[in-house]
Amino acid sequence: MSIKAFELVPAIERIKLMSDKARTQEDTKNLFDNLKKCIFVLLDRMSGYMWQKFIHRNHFVVHYTIEEKTSTSGKTVFHSDKQGHKYLAVKKPINQLKAASALNRIMVLCDNTLILLNMFDLEPIVSGAKIKGVTCFCINENPAYGNPFSVEICVALKKKQLQFYTVTEDRLVHIRDISVSEPAVALGLDGSFVCVALSSQYCMINFETAHIQDLFPFDGEQNKPLILRISREEFLLSGPSALGMFVTSDGISQRPPLQWSENLINQHQKQAIPFQGGTYLGNFDGRLFIASGKEIYSLVPVAWEKQIYRRFQQQAAFIEFSQQNFDEARELFKDGQVDVQEVISLYPKLLPTNTSFTRSIQPLHEIADINQLCRGQDSLLTDYKTFLRLYLEDIRGTKEAIGFKQEIDIALLKLYAEVNSPELIPLIAVDTGCDLKDCVDWLEKYNRYHALALLYKYHSENDKALHIWTRLVNGEIKDEAFPGLQFVIEYLSNLTDHELVWKYVDWILEKDPENGVKIFTERPPNEPQSERLRPDIVIDYLHRFPKAVITYLEFLVFQKKMEKEKYHTHLAVLYLDSVLQLMKTNNIKKEEIDIARSKLRHMLQISNLYRVQLILGKAKEQEMHAECAILYGKLEEHDKALRILVHKLKDFGGAENYCIVNSQGKDPSYRKRLFHALLSVYLDPSYEHKENLVKPAILQILPENWSVNLLSQFLNRNVRKSLNTCRTTRIELCNRAFGDSSFVRYPNGVVTHVHCAKNKHICPVTGKLFSTKRS
């Protein structure tokens, strides 16, 4: 049977690899985008500390502590805790990192520059604490000078030179230089001696005397040189013929060599552990750590006794599987930690095409595939596929799935596509392991076009995704899972590739101009400014779509609060033109015209940036009195505005509101002047129907806080005049009012108009004849 040396155990969860800065920007859409930027991880284990470095718009070093424990089940587990909130930002990937714990300092090799940092705040020590042109460095674990307040290091430079320094809390102090014949690729330092791996030769150097002693050559193309300090002035080197050679500072070996497995130090495969996106593998205090841009794991040795027991479980799992005992099989697959590829391989065409998987050298079963088990029974075949779907869903995202994300996701995608499962879209939409090569043909085969477009989108093939969606909207292909045109509009409104946005805008607006304009109005709030989406360019383009250009201008004026006269005037003119067009349309409902005019009046009232005279001229031509009143108000011609409201529109409440609205935010005397102007309009004696305005003048226009004394003279004068008029009109003759001051009185007491007294001897009322003789 095959024995494994290691298994993977999570050391730091993926969420802890994200900086605070990244986490504050995290949402469903950009979580994976942030994690994809974690392209380089460097770990070092020292004094209980673990250091991690990742990129989020830059490169960072983040400080963690790692605590190793044993769980109740006997498994090795890790707990991590981030210390502080400091990050080191650098522009280039970090190549080497070492800690000088005694000084609370970190030494970082980045882009051939060695930098000294403070361990706890990660701030660079700037006073002479930087060396350029460095290829590698090492720390002296047995200091030659024994100063407890410094650390000794050896630095290899590109120019075939070794430099020796003491590191203090605030600087690097240069001690001496030693030239070498070839560039150094690895170093080990102890006491006054440095063991060096040059390009093809090991040598021992006493940096006090500058004496160089050649040791033995090695093949740098086949083997990576290894130098490990194991005791005082003694090193372990990778030697020829798979030997581990012990070498002292005197250049001799006092122990027999170690016979390693053949080619142990070369880079040939010893054990295959599936792990996607690996970026770093290192040995820290005897523990192997492996990291990707998303997770950090520890390689934990696996006891062979445990593996034998697991193999029995695995064999039993496949027996239960072949007998359709699916519940038992599922538990045994999990408990026995069966390689999920062993299970998926039983289902033809479900493994990725680029897989290098081969079944266990000592077979766990004799099953060719599920077709052998089903023997043409479609219902049984369905049961086996349902089992695989449930099993993969169960282990997806758990420790059983570590290293197999692509295999699991591709298998699930194919199973979902075949039965049109509603789980297909969620699988593809976020953090999927499905690649295009394995999935495009399969999704097309089952007409899962929307899912295919989403997969293209996930892989940043936006043009291909949009091409599929346009065909779905046009009816060239069909997929019931496609949400429709609104989905495409929302997608384009969030697409940062503006050239691609313009490629599809015309098609969208031809389909639905009212919703299509959202591509311009619902852009991401933090989107960088672009010349291609400058408002003037968008407005010019939208002229072919009248409703769309109005919506876009409303967005600029009311939402973006852009204070540009041309946008405000343009919107007011379009509102006015819309009203005029409705007025000319036959059989139009009055409600539609009222709504359009209401929008126009609202715009004219709240904005102070449009060209008033331009709008006023057009409104006067159409006798749009309400709009003219607002426009006169903008010009401070309040008398004209109030006369329109009172005389033309008979809108007494509107006239009072006009005074209130137009005096808001101004001096109290301004409001008094407006109300006085309104009172003057009400009591204007030249108005033809002035008697109809007395009531609103008295009851409506007078503010409640005006005193009686303020109005007493006006009231007394007008009451007397009215009373006299009333009494005079009560004297009537010939059905006509007696209003002239001249009159005739007959002897019988009858009073008549002068022009009614035609004969002074005959009463025109009673006909009585009076004597014509003179007395």
Side-chain angles (χ1 to χ4, degrees), residues 310-326:
R310 283 181 183 173
R311 183 170 179 84
F312 290 150
Q313 287 181 306
Q314 293 170 357
Q315 290 174 324
F318 284 103
I319 293 172
E320 298 288 359
F321 178 80
S322 65
Q323 295 176 355
Q324 296 95 52
N325 298 323
F326 294 129

Side-chain angles (χ1 to χ4, degrees), residues 150-218:
S150 67
V151 173
E152 300 168 11
I153 65 171
C154 177
V155 174
L157 303 182
K158 288 182 178 180
K159 55 182 181 180
K160 301 180 183 180
Q161 190 178 59
L162 302 182
Q163 291 186 336
F164 298 88
Y165 292 85
T166 57
V167 181
T168 65
E169 288 190 348
D170 60 352
R171 66 181 62 246
L172 293 167
V173 180
H174 182 237
I175 299 176
R176 61 177 51 84
D177 298 339
I178 294 179
S179 297
V180 290
S181 59
E182 298 174 342
V185 295
L187 298 172
L189 184 60
D190 183 270
S192 301
F193 296 91
V194 56
C195 186
V196 184
L198 303 178
S199 300
S200 58
Q201 172 83 23
Y202 286 111
C203 61
M204 188 72 68
I205 302 175
N206 185 325
F207 68 78
E208 292 286 355
T209 64
H211 175 69
I212 299 177
Q213 181 179 2
D214 291 337
L215 299 177
F216 55 85
F218 64 90

Side-chain angles (χ1 to χ4, degrees), residues 726-739 750-753 756 765:
C726 179
R727 288 173 177 174
T728 301
T729 56
R730 287 179 180 176
I731 304 175
E732 296 184 354
L733 185 61
C734 305
N735 295 324
R736 293 185 297 170
F738 186 79
V750 174
V751 179
T752 70
H753 297 95
C756 289
V765 177

Side-chain angles (χ1 to χ4, degrees), residues 403-422:
F404 300 109
K405 182 175 180 59
Q406 183 182 49
E407 289 80 3
I408 291 173
D409 285 3
I410 288 176
L412 281 173
L413 178 141
K414 292 180 177 180
L415 291 170
Y416 289 157
E418 188 174 347
V419 298
N420 197 19
S421 169

Side-chain angles (χ1 to χ4, degrees), residues 407-454:
E407 289 80 3
I408 291 173
D409 285 3
I410 288 176
L412 281 173
L413 178 141
K414 292 180 177 180
L415 291 170
Y416 289 157
E418 188 174 347
V419 298
N420 197 19
S421 169
E423 298 298 323
L424 176 60
I425 300 302
L427 173 71
I428 290 175
V430 180
D431 197 15
T432 182
C434 302
D435 61 15
L436 292 171
K437 182 174 64 175
D438 278 291
C439 302
V440 170
D441 292 342
W442 195 275
L443 292 171
E444 288 180 340
K445 174 183 177 181
Y446 292 100
N447 300 328
R448 313 302 177 212
Y449 297 110
H450 180 52
L452 176 57
L454 289 174

